[in-house]
Each structure stands twice: as C-alpha cells, then as structure tokens.
Amino acid sequence: MNAELVTLAAGADEWGVLVGAVGAAGFFTLLIVIVWQVAATWRARMLAAREEQYKELATKYAQLLEDTVELQRRSVEEQRHTLEELMQTRRAVGSMEKMMREIE
C-alpha cells in the first residue's frame, strides 16, 4: 500500500510540474503577444506621424512653388517694363542725336 501511495504521489507531482510548465508557457506566450501588439501599435503611430509630416512637407512645397511662379511672373513683367523704358530712352537719344546733327 505504501508503494501505491508513493506511485500516486509521484504521478500527482508529475502532473503538477506539467501544469506549471503549461501555465508558464501560456504566461510567456501572453507576454510575447502583448509586447508584439504594443510594438505594432507604436510602429503604426510612427508611420502615421511620418505620413503627416510628408503631407505638411508637400503642402509647404506646393506653397513655395506657387510663390516661386508668382515671383518669376513679376520678374518677367519688370524685365518687360525695363525693356520698354530702355527702348524709349534709345528712341529719345536717337532723336536728340538726329536733332544735334541737323543743328551742326
């Protein structure tokens, strides 16, 4: 009878070790899943923040492009105006030269 009790106690002890091992494996699996999900959430937030930065950068670039086009347009208008003034000045100088030649 003592042999049976020793055998039953040994069997119960083996079951306890097995249950403990399965419980520990489950606990560590749960921890791994939690860490994995936290990392995935963090990564998604970082990607969303990066996407927002790209959108802001694209908006700034578009505004700068519009400003550059406007400045270029103004520059062309000023060059045309300067060219017209230069042509008028040449005509006036030409007229004065012609008048001076006629006087001499």
Side-chain angles (χ1 to χ4, degrees), residues 2 4 8 12 15 32 37 42 45 50 57 62 71 82 86 95:
N2 280 342
E4 274 183 35
L8 287 176
W15 277 105
I32 289 171
Q37 289 302 315
W42 177 77
R45 286 183 182 168
R50 186 181 301 160
L57 187 61
L71 287 173
T82 304
L86 181 61
S95 297

Side-chain angles (χ1 to χ4, degrees), residues 6-22:
V6 170
T7 307
L8 287 176
D13 193 34
E14 289 174 4
W15 277 105
V17 170
L18 181 63
V19 168
V22 169

Side-chain angles (χ1 to χ4, degrees), residues 61-79:
Y61 176 75
Q63 183 63 40
L64 285 173
L65 185 60
E66 289 176 9
D67 292 346
T68 302
V69 168
E70 178 63 23
L71 287 173
Q72 188 176 11
R73 185 188 62 78
R74 287 182 188 172
S75 175
V76 167
E77 287 178 7
E78 288 176 2
Q79 286 178 353

